[in-house]
Every structure is written in C-alpha cells, then in structure tokens.
Amino acid sequence: NNPTYCIEEVAEHAMAMERRIRGQVWFSIATVLVLWGLARTLFGPLPQNPAYHLFADLRTCLGIPRAGDVLTNLAILAAAVFGLALRPKMTLAPDERAAANLMIAGAALTALGSAYYHLDPNNMTLVWDRLPMTLVMMPALTLILADRIHPLHARYALWPYTLTGAASVLVWAW
C-alpha cells in the first residue's frame, strides 16, 4: 500500500534488468571470442582463397571495369536512400534510433565500399567491402534482439556488437 515502496521496487527491478541485459551482451561477446580463439588455435589462420575474387564480372561498360558487379551497388545505395527517406516515419523507441541510423549509414557505406572492391577485387579492397557490412549487420542484430528478447538490447548491445564486428574484419585483414 505504500506508493514509495512500489516506486523503489520498480526502480530496483529496472536496474536488475539492465544488469542482466549488459551481462548477456558481454557474455555473448566473450563466447564468440572464446570460440574464435579455439578455432584459431585448432585451425590456424584461415586466409582468403584468391579464387574468391574470380567471380568478378570482366566486362567494361561506360569506362567502368567489372561494370556488372560495380553497378549492382546502386541497388544497395537505393535501399540506403529509401531507408533515409523512411527514417522520419519510423516508429522507434529512443534507444533504437542509433541502431536504425547506423544501419542506414552502413547501407550507404556498403554500396560505396562494395563498388570500390569490385573495381579492383583483392584482399585489401575486400576490407572496404566487408567493414561497412558490419555497420548493417550488427545494428540489425541489435534491433532483432531488442524486438524479440528485450528492448534494452538496443541500448546496451549496439556499440559493443558493432565494434566487435568491425574488429573481426580488421583482425582478418591483419
């Protein structure tokens, strides 16, 4: 019957939930790192097969080498522009806004990075194809977790997951 007690109880529950979600985020990252370390120990480095780059289109169109692969990135750029146009109409919780914004920016950067890679496909340009993809995939994962598990994932998972994803590409490149 004491309203103060109820408010304190709700606040305590909210803080416990935040601790639990933060713990889940860091536990998932630790698990991925342990599994990566185990795989790295068992199998050593897994280099990119040079044949991976052979899928590239060899035609030139309007002076653009490998035009079929380069120009398909216009579709990804169109998706980013569409997302940007829809962004003001999206119904998002305040904690989800950063993830949505990063995903849209990541799509635009993916179009540019992928076009750059396809102009001259090799391991070094592949980094600029893969790195922006993490800026799409990690916010998407964060939004899925926020939707399906708990909304606090949008607050606590976005940056740790995004940095872990970006680091995975940089470690591969190194």
Side-chain angles (χ1 to χ4, degrees):
N1 292 338
N2 183 345
T4 305
Y5 177 73
C6 289
I7 291 170
E8 290 171 359
E9 192 174 275
V10 168
E12 187 176 306
H13 177 72
M15 287 177 12
M17 182 59 74
E18 286 185 20
R19 282 191 303 274
R20 189 172 128 231
I21 298 297
R22 279 194 308 265
Q24 288 174 350
V25 167
W26 290 107
F27 178 76
S28 66
I29 290 172
T31 301
V32 166
L33 291 175
V34 166
L35 291 173
W36 173 80
L38 182 62
R40 178 72 189 241
T41 300
L42 291 173
F43 304 112
L46 298 174
Q48 182 67 57
N49 184 340
Y52 177 81
H53 306 296
L54 297 179
F55 68 88
D57 179 25
L58 299 177
R59 295 171 293 171
T60 298
C61 180
L62 302 173
I64 300 171
R66 290 168 281 288
D69 293 325
V70 172
L71 295 175
T72 58
N73 290 290
L74 291 173
I76 298 170
L77 186 59
V81 170
F82 185 66
L84 190 60
L86 286 180
R87 176 61 188 86
K89 298 174 184 163
M90 292 179 189
T91 304
L92 297 167
D95 288 337
E96 295 173 336
R97 292 179 187 147
N101 293 339
L102 185 58
M103 195 165 54
I104 293 166
L109 292 171
T110 296
L112 298 174
S114 184
Y116 176 65
Y117 163 68
H118 287 291
L119 283 169
D120 180 24
N122 63 67
N123 282 350
M124 291 315 299
T125 58
L126 185 57
V127 171
W128 298 106
D129 187 20
R130 290 180 174 170
L131 194 57
M133 287 183 201
T134 65
L135 303 181
V136 175
M137 290 181 246
M138 295 300 102
L141 174 61
T142 298
L143 290 170
I144 291 166
L145 292 173
D147 183 58
R148 295 294 169 194
I149 297 176
H150 197 281
L152 285 173
H153 277 92
R155 182 183 307 167
Y156 294 113
L158 177 62
W159 298 114
Y161 282 7
T162 300
L163 292 174
T164 302
S168 73
V169 174
L170 297 175
V171 166
W172 169 81
W174 176 63

